[in-house]
Amino acid sequence: MRVPLSWLREYVDLPATETGRDVQARLVSAGLEVEAVEQLGAGLKGPLVVGKVLTIEELEGFKKPIRFCTVDVGTANGTGEPQEIVCGARNFSVGDKVVVVLPGAVLPGDFAIAARKTYGKTSHGMICSGDELGMGDDGSGGIIVLPPEHEVGTDAIALLELVDEVLDIAVTPDRGYCLSLRGVARETATAYGLALRDPALLDVPAPNAFGHPVKISDPRGSDRFTARTVTGLDPEARSPIWLTRRLQKAGMRPISLAVDITNYVMLEVGQPLHAYDRSRVEGPLGVRRALPGEKITTLDGAERVLDPEDLVITDDRGAIGLAGVMGGADTEIADVTVDPGTGEVHGTTEVVIEAAHFDPISIARTARRHKLASEASKRFERGVDPQAAAAAAQRTVDLLVLLAGGSAGAGVTEIVAPSAPHTIVMPAGHPDRVAGMVYGRETVVRRLQEVGCDVYGQDELVVTVPSWRPDLGAPNDLAEEVIRLEGYENLPSTLPTPPSGRGLTERQRLHRRVGRALAGAGYVEALNYPFLGDAVLDAFGLPADDARRVTVKLVNPLSDEEPALRTTLLPGLLAALRRNDGRGSHDLALFETGLVFRPTGHETVPVRLPVDRRPSDEQLAGLDAALPRQPRRAAVVLAGAREQAGWWGAGRPADWADAVEAARTVAREAGVELTVRAGQHEPWHPGRCAALFVTVDGEETLAGHAGELHPRVVKALGVPARTCAMEIELDVLERASGGPVQAPRISTFPVATQDVALVVAHDVPATAVEEALHQGAGELLESLRLFDVFTGEQIGEGRKSLAYALRFRAPDRTLTVEEATAARDAAVALAAERTGAVLRGA
């Protein structure tokens, strides 16, 4: 919400010395998020005056139309002679009043004006557009053309209110009343201890039977509807400068007088309104739910198929507007047209003003369903004061009569569903207990009255909530009002005392070690939103029965394209990789640890937990039973170079082996031995996919997969070719670890190294050979490492050579050559027995 300080002063008598920064500090202290104070007209320096166009000469021979104009600026130029100005705009004519900036002036952006020669002429100044003056879009698309009544030579800085301060307020969903000058003025008046001039306090005529007929078919959807009629409007009437400038400062574009007035009153009072061209409305206005398949063309020109839950405004033809969101094109205020034959002016001369109150939830769902957020829907879904509808309609009628020469219709239609004021019973000392400090009953009552509540009682307060505060629904809400007005900064700071002897759990330590290990291996952590959509699962090529397609759908997702909680970490990581690759970072290694959500189908309906006491163990157990399984996983993605080229060597690209090594890095942190086998699992390449197994309670358990992504997946996701990935379940590793990782015992005796090269069939996995070597070598084997794989004519067709370095060490003695050789021979013998391996060269 953008609030011009000059407009705010109309409702609160702020001291003349108060600046926007001062008001910002007061409002922030009162709990409003004032993000910035914009200084309009900063650096602007005159002379900037009203001028009258005397002559226009079209200059020929240039690539674009250029005009040489003479403009009467009175005595502002010191001579009284017409000012010669070159201008390229086309939206003004001889006799028009325009805004002229003269040499010596400085425009926003430190743009100094001086006489200069251009297009063969000397231009002594500029004829200004709204953008050049920092006014924003005024709808003209060019030069500012002023109404004819303004005198030549008048100071345009004051006339156009170019110097001002604007508070930019981020209004939270519970403070919808601050989406209006009325609401912000109320907070300002309270913060300064001043009186408020409420713009909604107007004399409104009583409803009668002569107003425009209205039929409400859904009182729950619309509990209040006011209709007023204004006739005899001048279709050529334009919005005055003060009105358009206030709209522009508040961030809205002027359109036409009738529309500008409804927008102005909405900003002033907070009540969205709609003006219908009365000649286009057939029969009574109505409010109902949309019919199945019903269509409407809204003011933005889009045809929309309505949902049966949508609330619509109707006449005898059907739906003519989406209630609380956007009006329909069929009843739009007509543009002014001139008959070329007769010169007769045509346009809207009669309007019906609608000021209604709609169900916030219904409006919010309609706006999201149709992806049609509007200024009206933004206010309705946060809560609009239902009592302000009649006053807002009256204010609109008054402005139309004043500015467009209209006549207010005698009829007043107001339909109100019976309702009682909301009342809350609260102990007088409740805010004291919430805040941890003593305010006292008098302070509590005074602060609640300042926000508009009626308060009765002594020890037990009966509080009637004002109509503009639908967010006040419980004693804690009232306590919050007292605390924020007394100042959050005055609350005592009390640090909780943690119990001694407790630290991170072993599971938490594992998660931290994994993150540090991957970071140490050159991976960068990426934190992604835990949401996904079916499109990415389709891109992964997952079959219809894949468990990752069974997702938890969100009731109110941030994006309709990602309405579900993730079942794998890879979509978010691959999106981050694609985004960074597109920004020029081509050598990437990213990792993430986090929860995935895997529903079992046995979840129960969650219970609503109490907020005034600790839930019972049964209630907490019921809540846990309603949650899906949420295993924690670690995942990495790689693309580009894994080792950079330089004077030290040629470097190498990332490949599937790096993804497998990342899995081994994670497993080592858990103290788990990882078994790697060939596998097939989408979205990995079927020939370059490793299945990762660990032993849990004596049984081999699948923990994850690693390898190179399928080319089809790479193309569908738009990631670099040969992108690799790994995903592993940390909970499985934790179960396999058998407790905290034990530090290894370091032997002081020397190591004995033996190298062996074994020739096996090409389809024998290296992991099978390694397992046999491990078991055959026995306890003396400290480690083994595959350091070479060779294929060629020397080995034979369909065979490969695997070269291993075996390290032997005893904890209590120096090994002899005979002992090391015997251990090596035993390892080779078992490998030969299990895999058919033979020593190379034997």
Side-chain angles (χ1 to χ4, degrees):
M1 178 69 186
R2 291 171 55 85
V3 179
L5 187 60
S6 59
W7 195 356
L8 183 64
R9 288 180 183 275
E10 283 201 2
Y11 313 117
V12 184
D13 287 327
L14 293 171
T17 56
E18 287 294 283
T19 66
R21 296 290 184 190
D22 299 328
V23 177
Q24 177 189 30
R26 292 290 188 107
L27 292 180
V28 168
S29 179
L32 283 183
E33 297 180 22
V34 184
E35 295 185 329
V37 178
E38 183 179 348
Q39 304 290 332
L40 300 184
L44 179 63
K45 175 185 174 185
L48 186 73
V49 298
V50 175
K52 180 179 180 180
V53 180
L54 301 178
T55 64
I56 298 177
E57 177 188 349
E58 301 289 345
L59 302 182
E60 305 293 339
F62 299 102
K63 292 182 179 179
K64 62 179 182 178
I66 298 296
R67 311 167 99 186
F68 180 65
C69 310
T70 60
V71 185
D72 179 11
V73 294
T75 59
N77 57 5
T79 66
E81 296 295 324
Q83 200 79 2
E84 296 179 340
I85 299 175
V86 175
C87 183
R90 315 290 297 175
N91 68 312
F92 64 95
S93 306
V94 172
D96 282 344
K97 298 289 182 65
V98 293
V99 178
V100 179
V101 58
L102 301 177
V106 180
L107 294 184
D110 199 25
F111 180 30
I113 303 300
R116 66 190 184 97
K117 192 168 184 177
T118 179
Y119 298 102
K121 300 284 187 179
T122 300
S123 182
H124 299 274
M126 286 174 49
I127 302 176
C128 298
S129 68
D131 286 336
E132 290 165 340
L133 298 178
M135 295 169 56
D137 185 10
D138 61 357
S140 67
I143 293 302
I144 301 170
V145 179
L146 300 171
E149 62 267 19
H150 297 292
E151 293 292 332
V152 168
T154 302
D155 180 14
I157 295 178
L159 177 66
L160 298 177
E161 302 177 18
L162 296 178
V163 179
D164 202 350
E165 294 181 279
V166 178
L167 308 176
D168 193 351
I169 303 175
V171 180
T172 53
D174 61 328
R175 306 287 287 278
Y177 66 97
C178 285
L179 286 171
S180 67
L181 267 295
R182 181 193 187 203
V184 175
R186 179 175 283 107
E187 291 296 320
T188 305
T190 301
Y192 278 90
L194 300 172
L196 169 70
R197 287 189 291 274
D198 191 343
L201 291 180
L202 300 174
D203 291 330
V204 179
N208 55 51
F210 309 108
H212 193 91
V214 174
K215 296 180 180 178
I216 306 296
S217 302
D218 190 342
R220 294 185 61 185
S222 177
D223 56 3
R224 186 179 292 263
F225 196 107
T226 298
R228 300 290 299 275
T229 304
V230 182
T231 61
L233 299 176
D234 178 4
E236 294 186 284
R238 295 173 54 184
S239 299
I241 291 175
W242 65 266
L243 177 57
T244 59
R245 288 299 292 133
R246 286 189 173 181
L247 292 177
Q248 288 174 324
K249 293 176 186 178
M252 302 190 76
R253 182 173 65 87
I255 298 173
S256 65
L257 179 58
V259 176
D260 291 349
I261 288 175
T262 57
N263 286 335
Y264 178 85
V265 175
M266 176 183 69
L267 292 172
E268 183 179 52
V269 181
Q271 168 67 52
L273 303 108
H274 192 74
Y276 299 92
D277 187 327
R278 188 182 184 187
S279 65
R280 298 185 177 188
V281 177
E282 298 181 8
L285 294 175
V287 181
R288 61 167 170 80
R289 299 288 172 175
L291 305 176
E294 191 170 12
K295 297 180 180 180
I296 184 177
T297 301
T298 45
L299 287 172
D300 59 357
E303 183 179 69
R304 304 179 186 278
V305 179
L306 302 180
D307 187 273
E309 290 298 314
D310 291 334
L311 204 63
V312 295
I313 307 296
T314 65
D315 66 3
D316 288 345
R317 296 168 297 175
I320 60 172
L322 271 175
V325 180
M326 185 174 286
D330 289 343
T331 57
E332 182 180 9
I333 300 296
D335 293 332
V336 177
T337 60
V338 179
D339 190 313
T342 64
E344 186 178 353
V345 177
H346 299 282
T348 298
T349 59
E350 298 183 354
V351 296
V352 178
I353 304 300
E354 166 216 309
H357 184 260
F358 300 110
D359 174 48
I361 295 176
S362 176
I363 301 305
R365 289 176 176 171
T366 295
R368 283 158 179 74
R369 188 180 297 122
H370 294 283
K371 298 181 177 63
L372 190 61
S374 65
E375 292 292 335
S377 67
K378 182 166 66 175
R379 286 164 173 79
F380 276 123
E381 65 187 38
R382 287 166 172 77
V384 168
D385 181 6
Q387 307 265 352
Q394 182 63 46
R395 176 72 164 140
T396 304
V397 169
D398 292 343
L399 288 173
L400 283 171
V401 171
L402 175 67
L403 301 177
S407 300
V412 177
T413 303
E414 186 170 13
I415 299 178
V416 181
S419 62
H422 182 50
T423 300
I424 303 171
V425 177
M426 179 186 73
H430 182 68
D432 299 356
R433 291 193 294 273
V434 173
M437 62 184 296
V438 177
Y439 293 122
R441 179 188 177 280
E442 290 75 15
T443 298
V444 171
V445 171
R446 175 172 56 84
R447 288 303 191 183
L448 292 179
Q449 289 175 338
E450 286 178 352
V451 300
C453 297
D454 291 330
V455 186
Y456 303 95
Q458 293 298 319
D459 295 337
E460 195 88 344
L461 301 181
V462 179
V463 182
T464 302
V465 175
S467 59
W468 58 84
R469 294 299 303 270
D471 58 303
L472 302 181
N476 283 341
D477 298 326
L478 301 178
E480 181 184 4
E481 292 299 296
V482 174
I483 294 169
R484 76 174 180 88
L485 293 178
E486 284 294 304
Y488 291 121
E489 68 276 8
N490 297 321
L491 289 176
S493 298
T494 305
L495 293 176
T497 303
S500 60
R502 296 183 184 181
L504 298 177
T505 65
E506 182 56 33
R507 186 183 191 197
Q508 291 169 327
R509 292 192 184 97
L510 171 61
H511 297 162
R512 292 197 177 187
R513 290 200 306 270
V514 167
R516 292 192 187 102
L518 289 174
Y523 292 87
V524 177
E525 187 171 16
L527 301 177
N528 301 295
Y529 284 118
F531 310 121
L532 55 73
D534 290 338
V536 71
L537 301 180
D538 295 337
F540 278 11
L542 303 188
D545 59 348
D546 193 294
R548 286 170 289 180
R549 285 192 177 273
V550 181
T551 58
V552 178
K553 295 293 193 301
L554 299 174
V555 175
N556 189 21
L558 290 179
S559 169
D560 291 339
E561 296 178 356
E562 294 181 328
L565 293 173
R566 66 188 177 191
T567 54
T568 167
L569 298 179
L570 293 183
L573 276 175
L574 290 171
L577 183 140
R578 179 180 65 246
R579 185 164 52 251
N580 283 276
D581 180 71
R583 293 173 179 173
S585 299
H586 304 303
D587 304 323
L588 295 161
L590 307 178
F591 85 93
E592 182 177 11
T593 61
L595 300 177
V596 298
F597 305 86
R598 305 297 292 269
T600 62
H602 301 296
E603 291 81 9
T604 60
V605 178
V607 297
R608 184 179 291 274
L609 299 181
V611 296
D612 57 343
R613 62 187 181 280
R614 184 188 184 280
S616 66
D617 292 340
E618 292 77 12
Q619 288 172 322
L620 292 176
L623 185 63
D624 288 338
L627 299 175
R629 192 170 68 89
Q630 301 177 50
R632 183 174 290 273
R633 294 187 173 187
V636 306
V637 293
L638 305 100
R642 185 64 178 141
E643 294 178 2
Q644 295 290 336
W647 56 265
W648 52 85
R652 68 173 183 84
D655 61 16
W656 62 269
D658 294 302
V660 174
E661 182 57 30
R664 288 197 172 102
T665 299
V666 173
R668 279 195 293 271
E669 294 302 319
V672 175
E673 188 70 29
L674 202 64
T675 301
V676 181
R677 294 197 179 94
Q680 291 191 15
H681 191 64
E682 294 80 4
W684 283 274
H685 190 297
R688 297 169 187 160
C689 175
L692 313 173
F693 293 91
V694 294
T695 301
V696 179
D697 298 330
E699 294 186 2
E700 200 169 63
T701 303
L702 180 67
H705 292 85
E708 182 180 314
L709 296 183
H710 197 290
R712 183 178 60 248
V713 176
V714 168
K715 181 179 180 180
L717 295 178
V719 294
R722 311 302 293 268
T723 295
C724 301
M726 180 278 294
E727 185 170 22
I728 194 167
E729 192 160 317
L730 296 180
D731 292 350
V732 173
L733 296 183
E734 184 184 6
R735 294 201 304 271
S737 67
V741 177
Q742 299 295 323
R745 184 177 181 273
I746 306 300
S747 174
T748 59
F749 295 94
V751 66
T753 302
Q754 297 271 358
D755 294 346
V756 295
L758 302 177
V759 178
V760 296
H762 189 273
D763 59 351
V764 174
T767 53
V769 179
E770 292 173 9
E771 287 180 13
L773 291 175
H774 264 294
Q775 294 182 20
E779 295 181 353
L780 294 180
L781 181 65
E782 183 178 79
S783 67
L784 90 158
R785 177 175 62 88
L786 175 66
F787 65 86
D788 184 55
V789 179
F790 178 76
T791 58
E793 295 180 358
Q794 303 92 324
I795 305 301
E797 186 178 353
R799 302 181 71 76
K800 61 183 176 182
S801 171
L802 305 176
Y804 291 93
L806 288 74
R807 292 167 56 92
F808 298 97
R809 196 193 315 250
D812 57 351
R813 68 187 187 282
T814 300
L815 291 177
T816 64
V817 174
E818 291 76 13
E819 288 178 306
T821 302
R824 182 202 66 182
D825 292 343
V828 171
L830 188 58
E833 177 185 339
R834 290 188 177 180
T835 66
V838 296
L839 278 173
R840 183 176 174 182

